[in-house]
Amino acid sequence: MIRRPVAVVTAIVLFLEGLGIAGLQWLLGTVVDRQQMSLAGLDPDAMSVSTKAGGVLFGLYFVFCGVVALLIALRNRPAAGLGRILLISVAVVHGLLGALAVGLVGWGAFAFMMVVLGLVLLTLMTYDRQSGGAGVVSGGDGDVDGPSDGPSAGLSDGPSHGVERSVPVVPPAPSAS
């Protein structure tokens, strides 16, 4: 399957991007510090420290999102809860950065941001909870929910083990009278 390699590549790209962002911000903070630059009377030391701290935090954010993508690949399961929220947020961040990069840096940076956005979305979508086949979702108690005969199709009296199940709603057949 293509799922694991996509998640691994996404994790590696996010790791490298996190290190690159942190390194770039650290370099910019060092330049501000050595040049004693000031913006509208702000303290150059405060600007330098805040640039370095912001770069480290932003880099850690990307690295943490890379860890989530790597855990998805290792477990071969979709992200849930905070991990899924992190991957969605990093996809939004890449969309916004891509929109800014096209005007500030150029089309190459935009293309890179869109490739990373595509990798994150592909990781999210290939590990989607509903992608278990043709509408079949496996429950935790061993049975399979899906099309079956009888009025209780898809219903189970057993424990759900945290798996949410949906029952298809079938409208009544039209009457001949």
Side-chain angles (χ1 to χ4, degrees), residues 17 109 152 162:
E17 192 175 13
S152 64

Side-chain angles (χ1 to χ4, degrees), residues 13 27 46 56 63 69 77 84 135 157 159 171:
V13 168
L27 176 69
V56 168
V63 168
R77 287 190 323 208
R84 188 164 184 85
D157 294 332

Side-chain angles (χ1 to χ4, degrees), residues 18-175:
L19 292 174
I21 289 288
L24 178 66
Q25 290 294 102
W26 194 271
L27 176 69
L28 290 174
T30 304
V31 168
V32 167
D33 188 35
R34 289 189 181 163
Q35 295 293 320
Q36 292 296 310
M37 295 178 179
S38 178
L39 180 66
L42 293 174
D43 182 30
D45 292 331
M47 288 176 50
S48 173
V49 169
S50 63
T51 301
K52 289 178 181 178
V56 168
L57 289 175
F58 205 42
L60 287 174
Y61 166 70
F62 280 141
V63 168
F64 191 58
C65 291
V67 167
V68 171
L70 188 61
L71 288 175
I72 288 172
L74 293 176
R75 294 177 181 168
N76 202 20
R77 287 190 323 208
L82 180 64
R84 188 164 184 85
I85 292 170
L86 277 172
L87 286 180
I88 291 170
S89 71
V90 83
V92 170
V93 165
H94 278 88
L96 292 173
L97 287 177
L100 290 173
V102 72
L104 298 175
V105 182
W107 289 102
F110 173 78
F112 174 75
M113 290 295 161
M114 293 303 107
V115 166
V116 178
L117 172 66
L119 284 171
V120 172
L121 290 178
L122 195 58
T123 300
L124 281 169
M125 293 180 74
T126 55
Y127 281 96
D128 192 16
R129 294 172 196 242
Q130 301 299 326
S131 66
V136 178
V137 178
S138 176
D141 53 350
D143 63 317
V144 175
D145 292 339
S148 66
D149 296 331
S152 64
L155 298 177
S156 173
D157 294 332
S160 65
H161 300 287
V163 176
E164 190 174 314
R165 299 176 184 196
S166 63
V167 178
V169 177
V170 180
S175 63

